[in-house]
Amino acid sequence: MKDSPLKCLSSHFISHAISEAFTPECEICGEKTVHGQPLFSSDDIEEPIAQVCNSCSDDEEKYDTSRFCGESILYRATQINSTGECREYQEKSALSDEEQEDWDSYIENITKDL
């Protein structure tokens, strides 16, 4: 191989440039940064649906995280319920009618003498 001007560049610089080239643009501002977060749908957390830069992901009206999935999984705020659960955990944490009756009965029993 002939000499290349790339030989004088650090491997860190080259790997960062390649990573940034393959990183999608932020869906809000269009910025391309490797420090952004992938955005997931609560219907499928295996494949990201978009990329959001860190400054845009701070918009709590648009984006949120599930308290069970952790801070690394970003969702649209409309997909998180008032208790901080994504759809996957909403189904798991919901009580059946029988469980709800048991809890109602238990609460009634312990509060009847108050």
Side-chain angles (χ1 to χ4, degrees):
M1 282 187 124
K2 295 183 179 182
D3 283 335
S4 168
L6 294 177
K7 284 185 177 181
C8 64
L9 297 175
S10 73
S11 59
H12 173 73
F13 176 81
I14 293 172
S15 66
H16 181 75
I18 292 170
S19 295
E20 195 163 308
F22 286 113
T23 300
E25 294 179 350
C26 172
E27 74 169 5
I28 299 295
C29 69
E31 181 180 346
K32 285 184 81 160
T33 176
V34 294
H35 302 292
Q37 285 188 276
L39 179 67
F40 293 90
S41 168
S42 62
D43 297 328
D44 180 16
I45 63 168
E46 298 295 321
E47 193 69 33
I49 57 172
Q51 182 84 1
V52 182
C53 72
N54 287 337
S55 60
C56 290
S57 70
D58 289 340
D59 186 345
E60 293 177 359
E61 290 182 15
K62 292 185 180 181
Y63 305 107
D64 202 355
T65 57
S66 167
R67 66 184 184 155
F68 295 112
C69 295
E71 296 295 315
S72 63
I73 308 287
L74 188 66
Y75 298 102
R76 296 196 192 287
T78 57
Q79 294 183 325
I80 304 296
N81 69 9
S82 61
T83 58
E85 301 166 326
C86 64
R87 286 189 184 128
E88 180 181 350
Y89 287 99
Q90 289 174 15
E91 295 167 3
K92 292 178 182 177
S93 67
L95 297 175
S96 68
D97 290 340
E98 185 177 302
E99 290 170 322
Q100 186 64 48
E101 283 181 34
D102 288 344
W103 276 108
D104 290 344
S105 176
Y106 173 73
I107 292 168
E108 184 179 325
N109 283 333
I110 63 170
T111 59
K112 67 181 177 186
D113 295 330
L114 295 179

